[in-house]
Amino acid sequence: MKKTLIKVVTFFLAVAIFATLTSVFVGCNKQTKDDSKLYVGLECAYAPFNYTEL
């Protein structure tokens, strides 16, 4: 009984990991990048780097 439970849990864990990785890799391919633009990511929560007050 215990071995069967371990096999079932392992199977569902493997399926969940596979589904997660598949969705991540498929989702990343949908983005198109325009080479004429410059993309910049900023973190505005810490002073003095782009600090903003609400």
Side-chain angles (χ1 to χ4, degrees), residues 19-35:
T20 302
L21 291 176
T22 302
S23 65
V24 167
F25 288 126
V26 169
C28 290
N29 290 335
K30 293 182 180 179
Q31 297 175 354
T32 58
K33 185 176 178 183
D34 187 9
D35 290 333

Side-chain angles (χ1 to χ4, degrees), residues 40-53:
V40 179
L42 301 174
E43 175 62 45
C44 297
Y46 304 103
F49 305 108
N50 302 319
Y51 184 69
T52 59
E53 288 186 37

